[in-house]
């Protein structure tokens, strides 16, 4: 069954247990009292995973692990996604929520509420991990390795977003010191290399298999590959050879690209459906965040991807049932595609109007082009109007037999946080950067494997710009885009690339390079005198 824990950790209010005087700021949270919260290793182990998939101990409608921000909004994946996608050339949203427009026009600052929520969510998760490692590191070697991976993963995302960050591996009342980005990079690298031997073997699994949803060696290899791919940004020194090496380990692992569709559903579509943990699509998922409409629920994980991108009276995306919507009772009319994303599939600007997503992909000649243009315009002239931009029909709670999930509100679609396809792109890019900016023959083959499984035409060559476009075609709306744009020099600073509403104008304009890092929240600067704000804020 797709759930993390049968009974959530009792009374577990672990917050940023660096001490309430150090990093909590104005968030109304309390550190754990080990004499009060009687937890066992299995409970705390599960909590370390569950905090990434649910806002708090009671699932979607329970208390959030992070106070001071709405429980539905505070979910880890939702805030990671906002920070990566709404700030990029892929997604735009017209909601009036405080901070959404600042994401969309790249005007976020040190008081941004959602970035503050994301920042504290990551540190809260790290504190759960530190608590486990302090109390139960001798309990089970594999479990300890997994928790060390999760902590390294969270530190990776903090380092990626904020650069020089507060860092600790202990539960302490002392304010943590700020560590340079390169030093945190080294910690993450050493942790992943050190735990590799104690992680489970890389083995593709379905939800019916033991260990599904838990990280193994392949997750460590993929995070190392991602780390090395961005090493030049993080440390000033590129490590393309190591990025390619660890990507190749993932490519050669037991995990598999899903290449066979079922009925009307393409192999690519199956990765984002309500039964993606039960079909062969699961074998591509190296690290899914488990969701179950009855047992593991969240307003900020898979439902955010499905409902947030949907408008029920426009989008009917089940070819087996023309009246159906997305397999849930939720349609929030929020995120949709920026024009520049659609043009990755229609470079001549000839994206047709009035088509559902399952017809659009035929026009694009690419199964990944899952955009609905029914009642929509290609242009994003009005940020606050959902129909101003194509809808994204990539995520659905329908299952491959055409049925919907078993709850009217919450989906069964497991959220694909890390999947094998990323390794193919990392390998192709890293080797191209060692080859004068052009894909090697092996890199061409890796990219073509992704294109061919989407029934797109194979190419004989790829430049670095082509590879950046392939990143978008394969991974749009999956939470990687901002990092990619920064690595390619297409984000902050003087660039040769604009997109709709970039920098606050419809035509798009450059914004300062200092925005390649987020601002450390003012609340944390006030609480911890060891911290220095990033330049420009």
């Amino acid at each position: 069954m797709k759930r993390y824990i049968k009974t959530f950790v009792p009374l577990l209010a672990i917050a940023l247990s660096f001490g309430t005087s150090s990093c909590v700021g104005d968030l109304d949270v309390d550190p754990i009292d080990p004499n009060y919260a009687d937890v066992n290793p299995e409970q705390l182990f599960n909590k370390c995973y569950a905090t990434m998939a649910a806002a708090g101990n009671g699932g979607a409608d329970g208390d959030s692990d992070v106070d001071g921000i709405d429980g539905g909004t505070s979910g880890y994946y939702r805030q990671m996604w906002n920070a990566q996608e709404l700030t990029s050339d892929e997604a735009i949203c017209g909601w009036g929520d405080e901070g959404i427009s600042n994401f969309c026009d790249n005007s976020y600052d040190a008081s941004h509420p959602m970035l503050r929520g994301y920042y504290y969510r990551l540190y809260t998760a790290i504190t759960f991990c530190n608590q486990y490692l302090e109390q139960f590191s001798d309990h089970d070697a594999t479990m300890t390795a997994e928790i060390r991976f999760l902590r390294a993963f969270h530190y990776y995302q903090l380092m990626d977003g904020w650069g020089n960050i507060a860092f600790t591996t202990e539960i302490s009342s002392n304010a943590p010191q700020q560590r340079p980005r390169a030093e945190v990079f080294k910690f993450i690298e050493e942790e992943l290399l050190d735990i590799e031997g104690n992680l489970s073997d890389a083995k593709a699994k379905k939800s019916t298999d033991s260990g599904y949803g838990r990280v193994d060696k392949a997750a460590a290899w993929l995070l190392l590959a991602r780390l090395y791919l961005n090493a030049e940004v993080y440390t000033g020194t590129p490590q393309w050879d190591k990025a390619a090496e660890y990507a190749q380990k993932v490519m050669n692992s037991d995990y598999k690209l899903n290449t066979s569709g079922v009925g009307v559903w393409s192999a690519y579509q199956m990765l984002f459906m309500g039964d993606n943990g039960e079909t062969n699509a699961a074998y591509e998922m190296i690290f899914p965040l488990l969701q179950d409409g009855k047992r593991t629920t969240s307003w900020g994980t898979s439902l955010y991807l499905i409902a947030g991108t949907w408008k029920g009276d426009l989008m009917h995306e089940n070819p087996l049932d023309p009246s159906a919507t997305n397999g849930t009772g939720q349609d929030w009319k929020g995120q949709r595609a920026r024009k520049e994303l659609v043009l990755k599939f229609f470079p001549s600007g000839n994206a047709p109007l009035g088509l559902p997503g399952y017809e659009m992909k035929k026009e694009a000649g690419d199964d990944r082009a899952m955009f609905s243009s029914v009642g929509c315009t290609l242009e994003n002239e009005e940020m606050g109007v959902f129909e101003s931009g194509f809808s994204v029909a990539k995520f659905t709670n329908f299952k491959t037999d055409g049925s919907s999930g078993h709850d009217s509100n919450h989906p069964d679609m497991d959220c694909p946080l890390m999947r094998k396809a990323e390794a193919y792109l990392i390998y192709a890019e890293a080797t191209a950067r060692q080859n004068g900016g052009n894909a090697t023959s092996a890199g061409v083959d890796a990219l073509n494997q992704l294109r061919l499984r989407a029934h797109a035409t194979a190419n004989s060559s790829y430049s670095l710009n082509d590879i950046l476009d392939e990143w978008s075609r394969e991974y749009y709306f999956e939470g990687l885009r901002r990092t990619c744009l920064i690595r390619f020099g297409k984000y902050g600073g003087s660039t040769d690339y604009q997109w709709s509403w970039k920098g606050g104008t419809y035509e798009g304009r450059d914004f300062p390079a200092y925005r390649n890092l987020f601002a450390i929240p003012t609340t944390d600067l006030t609480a911890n005198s060891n911290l220095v704000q990033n330049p420009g804020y």
Side-chain angles (χ1 to χ4, degrees):
M1 290 182 288
K2 297 190 297 185
R3 59 185 178 189
Y4 286 101
I5 37 188
K6 185 174 182 180
T7 303
F8 278 91
V9 183
L11 302 176
L12 191 58
I14 308 175
L16 289 172
S17 298
F18 306 130
T20 53
S21 63
S22 59
C23 275
V24 175
D26 64 353
L27 295 186
D28 183 20
V29 283
D30 297 315
I32 188 172
D33 179 350
N35 298 314
Y36 178 67
D38 182 18
V39 297
N40 64 44
E42 285 74 20
Q43 288 174 318
L44 190 49
F45 174 82
N46 282 313
K47 181 62 180 180
C48 290
Y49 276 101
T51 193
M52 300 179 70
N57 290 358
D61 297 319
D63 293 335
S64 174
D65 294 334
V66 179
D67 291 338
I69 185 171
D70 174 74
T73 304
S74 73
Y76 155 76
Y77 191 86
R78 180 169 180 163
Q79 291 308 334
M80 181 278 292
W81 192 96
N82 285 342
Q84 281 281 344
E85 294 291 344
L86 293 180
T87 59
S88 80
D89 61 340
E90 290 186 348
I92 195 167
C93 182
W95 288 338
D97 303 48
E98 186 180 4
I100 287 289
S101 63
N102 303 115
F103 273 139
C104 293
D105 65 12
N106 313 103
S107 62
Y108 39 82
D109 58 21
S111 63
H112 193 279
M114 294 185 179
L115 282 175
R116 185 171 68 245
Y118 179 33
Y119 179 90
Y120 287 129
R121 170 65 66 173
L122 290 172
Y123 275 118
T124 298
I126 287 168
T127 303
F128 290 135
C129 294
N130 283 343
Q131 183 77 21
Y132 180 91
L133 295 170
E134 184 173 287
Q135 291 186 231
F136 303 119
S137 61
D138 295 332
H139 173 71
D140 179 276
T142 299
M143 291 168 65
T144 293
E146 290 179 45
I147 298 305
R148 289 173 67 186
F149 171 90
L150 295 179
R151 182 176 64 181
F153 186 88
H154 297 311
Y155 269 129
Y156 169 82
Q157 294 193 304
L158 282 162
M159 177 196 66
D160 177 75
W162 284 270
N164 303 334
I165 57 172
F167 180 86
T168 185
T169 57
E170 301 175 343
I171 301 295
S172 172
S173 60
N174 296 323
Q177 297 293 318
Q178 189 171 26
R179 300 300 184 191
R181 201 180 207 184
E183 187 176 316
V184 180
F185 176 99
K186 189 66 175 175
F187 168 82
I188 297 167
E189 177 187 26
E190 291 176 349
E191 278 286 276
L192 295 173
L193 293 173
D194 192 54
I195 65 176
E196 180 183 345
N198 286 327
L199 289 169
S200 301
D201 290 339
K203 179 68 175 177
K205 296 171 280 289
K206 292 183 179 180
S207 65
T208 50
D209 297 322
S210 176
Y212 176 73
R214 292 173 60 176
V215 298
D216 59 22
K217 286 183 172 66
W221 297 335
L222 188 53
L223 185 53
L224 278 165
R226 190 186 291 186
L227 184 74
Y228 291 134
L229 187 69
N230 292 284
E232 187 171 27
V233 174
Y234 301 148
T235 71
T237 302
Q239 297 197 44
W240 311 122
D241 54 341
K242 290 184 178 180
E245 175 189 351
Y246 280 91
Q248 199 160 38
K249 283 178 178 285
V250 178
M251 292 164 68
N252 293 336
S253 75
D254 185 65
Y255 288 90
K256 303 171 179 65
L257 292 180
N258 190 44
T259 57
S260 298
V262 172
V264 299
W265 311 104
S266 72
Y268 185 76
Q269 173 76 84
M270 288 171 63
L271 297 167
F272 315 103
M273 296 183 67
D275 58 356
N276 61 352
E278 290 70 59
T279 67
N280 287 345
Y283 293 146
E284 185 169 330
M285 308 261 241
I286 291 173
F287 186 10
L289 299 182
L290 306 190
Q291 297 287 277
D292 182 283
K294 297 293 186 184
R295 299 181 179 90
T296 306
T297 61
S298 169
W299 298 106
T301 312
S302 295
L303 183 60
Y304 187 60
L305 295 174
I306 295 170
T309 57
W310 220 271
K311 185 176 181 182
D313 61 350
L314 293 180
M315 302 172 69
H316 302 280
E317 295 296 336
N318 185 343
L320 301 175
D321 183 356
S323 66
T325 54
N326 62 20
T328 77
Q330 301 285 324
D331 64 325
W332 299 348
K333 312 171 192 64
Q335 308 90 292
R336 70 264 190 205
R338 298 206 199 213
K339 174 183 67 176
E340 290 71 24
L341 171 58
V342 178
L343 294 181
K344 299 288 188 294
F345 295 92
F346 294 95
S348 299
N350 59 335
L353 299 177
L355 289 184
Y358 57 84
E359 295 292 345
M360 184 71 68
K361 65 184 184 182
K362 298 175 186 176
E363 295 295 320
D366 192 322
D367 291 343
R368 300 171 296 185
M370 291 184 285
F371 306 109
S372 171
S373 61
V374 176
C376 300
T377 63
L378 175 63
E379 302 289 336
N380 309 114
E381 292 181 347
E382 297 183 73
M383 191 184 296
V385 176
F386 182 78
E387 294 82 0
S388 187
F390 282 12
S391 305
V392 173
K394 183 172 180 175
F395 309 99
T396 178
N397 199 38
F398 285 112
K399 302 181 180 182
T400 47
D401 64 2
S403 65
S404 58
H406 59 275
D407 185 86
S408 61
N409 283 327
H410 296 289
D412 300 323
M413 185 195 101
D414 293 335
C415 194
L417 187 62
M418 300 177 83
R419 55 188 181 89
K420 186 173 184 176
E422 185 179 350
Y424 290 75
L425 286 153
I426 291 174
Y427 179 81
E429 181 186 332
T431 51
R433 290 185 183 275
Q434 295 175 299
N435 189 48
N438 294 302
T440 64
S441 59
V444 169
D445 179 66
L447 294 170
N448 283 339
Q449 287 190 58
L450 300 181
R451 289 185 62 82
L452 290 172
R453 77 99 164 253
H455 297 102
T457 303
N459 295 325
S460 59
S461 64
Y462 294 87
S463 67
L464 280 176
N465 280 338
D466 294 333
I467 293 172
L468 178 59
D469 286 348
E470 282 301 317
W471 272 107
S472 190
R473 293 185 190 101
E474 181 68 26
Y475 270 94
Y476 69 92
F477 276 51
E478 291 187 59
L480 293 178
R481 190 57 174 173
R482 177 180 174 274
T483 299
C484 284
L485 291 172
I486 291 171
R487 186 174 66 252
F488 278 82
K490 307 286 187 182
Y491 194 69
S494 179
T495 74
D496 62 355
Y497 183 49
Q498 309 300 336
W499 61 81
S500 304
W501 297 107
K502 178 185 179 184
T505 68
Y506 173 66
E507 299 79 12
R509 64 181 178 186
D510 288 338
F511 54 83
Y514 72 78
R515 292 193 181 278
N516 286 349
L517 291 175
F518 295 130
I520 296 172
T522 301
T523 49
D524 221 24
L525 290 171
T526 302
N528 184 355
S529 62
N530 295 326
L531 299 180
V532 176
Q533 183 60 279
N534 287 320
Y537 292 103

